[in-house]
Amino acid sequence: MGKKGGGKGSGGKAGGSSSGVSGGKLKACNHVKARHILCEKQGKLFEAYQAMCEGWLNDGEKVPPSKFGELAQKYSECSSAKRGGDLGWFPRGKMEGTFQSVAFATAEGDVSQPFKGANGWHVILVEGRKA
């Protein structure tokens, strides 16, 4: 997995976005725009996450949404896979509890750690946050 289209100038360290962050804490928001990868099996999701780590995250770079989308098309078992995992904007209360908690706790531009939700294993890329 290379870094085509997502070179060094594409962002800061993983987990360290300043967008939507105030004093080291995320600002409260009521809507999140996100992409995700959903897999029934933990191993398949970790394969996708490993590709992100090797391509960008281990170097402190952001995963470009287009590249996350390609990985979603390849690995995700959700119907959103054909849209690159794009879930669009969603408000608090729309998603399952664990998924919502992780999505609203992830800074804009960051990728979550893999986690188990009610529907299987997920990783989320947050593309936007708004009140």
Side-chain angles (χ1 to χ4, degrees):
M1 173 107 228
K3 296 179 192 168
K4 293 180 192 171
K8 287 280 184 201
S10 64
K13 295 193 181 289
S17 172
S18 62
S19 184
V21 178
S22 174
K25 288 184 157 187
L26 283 175
K27 292 181 183 176
C29 73
N30 293 314
H31 292 81
V32 166
K33 183 178 190 307
R35 293 178 181 265
H36 81 132
I37 297 172
L38 167 66
C39 299
E40 181 182 345
K41 304 279 188 205
Q42 181 181 14
K44 185 175 180 183
L45 183 79
F46 274 78
E47 190 178 322
Y49 188 72
Q50 185 63 34
M52 288 182 248
C53 288
E54 291 172 1
W56 301 276
L57 299 177
N58 287 347
D59 293 332
E61 296 180 17
K62 303 287 187 186
V63 178
S66 62
K67 297 300 181 182
F68 188 96
E70 289 174 14
L71 291 169
Q73 289 176 341
K74 180 176 180 180
Y75 291 100
S76 186
E77 298 164 4
C78 180
S79 60
S80 68
K82 63 183 175 259
R83 299 184 309 274
D86 190 0
L87 298 172
W89 288 97
F90 55 88
R92 286 188 187 275
K94 182 174 182 182
M95 299 296 187
E96 174 269 322
T98 304
F99 187 94
Q100 175 177 284
S101 295
V102 173
F104 280 86
T106 302
E108 185 174 333
D110 286 351
V111 172
S112 73
Q113 293 288 318
F115 66 96
K116 181 144 178 55
N119 301 313
W121 288 88
H122 299 267
V123 65
I124 300 171
L125 167 65
V126 172
E127 293 188 275
R129 297 169 54 87
K130 64 183 179 181

